[in-house]
Amino acid sequence: MGSRWLPDVLKGPRGKPGATGATGATGATGATGATGATGATGAAGPSGSSASMPLGWSPFGARFSHPLCCYADTSKTPRYLYLSAMTAANVTGTTAGFAKHAVSTAAPPPLPTMLPTTYYGTAAVDPWLLMERWKLVDIKCVCAGAAVAQAAVGADPRLRLEFYQCNIASNTLIGTLDLPCISGAADIGINNNAAGRVGLIYFSQHSFATPLIPAPFTFLGFQFRNLDANNNQINAIQIASCSMVWKHKGT
């Protein structure tokens, strides 16, 4: 067979293919007659003026041994989910709710992600609906002010956040994090006085002894939990924003 003609694949003018060589004569029939030699293939026609590849090139040849099975395998690419919420209130000696869109300085803000005794069925909270399985891998909480209840700040001040599965008429605690202060510890106040600070205070964590992986198809909310048993526990906050990074773990 001559070279394959691909006018719909190769661009530019092309030369005509050479004439097909004559077929060799068939050998005389015997008990098992030998087949005659195949005639020589005709010479290829002259090349056209285009710089295209030769007419005999085939997309299914050795150069392109797998022309149709090359694809981007995204199954090994991690997917991440980013969630953020804020409170614009000043809270001392009590919990604080975080809202997706804080529109006032009220405590709690309108439609927080969760509240201790308020549930999804009351239409007073706005948790996140997690459609798949996600694992918390990083969290940061930045405060304009924070304070301990004692007269001095300890060497390892931490801010507690509680995570809940929000149900129609109840909340289920699924994780508690005590975030260490990574910057701004000198601006943490004493005696529950979180006001008047001059720098932002950062609490953060990206390594967790117990993984936080909410069940898929559930509502997720969280809150600040005030603590006052010792001077390493934050008991008051003034305006705080939290951002979280979740890594996809499956459906």
Side-chain angles (χ1 to χ4, degrees):
M1 180 186 292
S3 298
R4 184 175 180 180
W5 184 264
L6 297 173
D8 55 336
V9 175
L10 303 179
K11 299 181 179 180
R14 306 164 180 81
K16 297 180 179 180
T20 304
T23 303
T26 303
T29 304
T32 53
T35 304
T38 303
T41 302
S47 300
S49 58
S50 171
S52 348
M53 299 180 72
L55 294 179
W57 172 82
S58 167
F60 306 100
R63 176 173 177 146
F64 296 87
S65 58
H66 300 287
L68 302 177
C69 64
C70 296
Y71 63 97
D73 182 4
T74 58
S75 64
K76 296 182 177 63
T77 302
R79 291 167 49 198
Y80 293 95
L81 175 68
Y82 300 85
L83 302 179
S84 296
M86 177 194 182
T87 179
N90 299 334
V91 175
T92 300
T94 187
T95 59
F98 286 78
K100 299 173 185 176
H101 306 285
V103 295
S104 78
T105 58
L111 291 176
T113 62
M114 66 84 54
L115 290 173
T117 57
T118 303
Y119 314 115
Y120 185 74
T122 65
V125 296
D126 182 23
W128 289 284
L129 175 59
L130 299 182
M131 296 299 292
E132 298 178 284
R133 191 175 298 276
W134 300 87
K135 175 184 177 181
L136 183 65
V137 295
D138 194 10
I139 181 169
K140 287 180 174 59
C141 189
V142 182
C143 304
V148 297
Q150 291 74 20
V153 179
D156 185 24
R158 293 179 178 247
L159 180 144
R160 175 166 291 189
L161 296 179
E162 296 176 333
F163 290 82
Y164 288 83
Q165 176 182 305
C166 302
N167 308 308
I168 191 169
S170 65
N171 295 318
T172 304
L173 181 66
I174 59 174
T176 299
L177 300 178
D178 290 315
L179 307 184
C181 182
I182 63 168
S183 179
D187 286 307
I188 296 176
I190 60 174
N191 297 324
N192 289 326
N193 181 17
R197 310 277 65 84
V198 297
L200 295 174
I201 306 167
Y202 291 78
F203 298 89
S204 178
Q205 191 169 0
H206 60 270
S207 178
F208 308 93
T210 302
L212 181 55
I213 307 176
F217 311 113
T218 59
F219 285 114
L220 173 70
F222 78 105
Q223 67 174 357
F224 161 71
R225 167 64 67 180
N226 63 294
L227 298 171
D228 61 3
N230 61 66
N231 63 354
N232 281 316
Q233 297 175 328
I234 300 299
N235 194 50
I237 58 174
Q238 178 188 51
I239 312 171
S241 295
C242 286
S243 290
M244 296 166 278
V245 182
W246 302 77
K247 186 177 181 180
H248 187 243
K249 297 295 291 182
T251 56

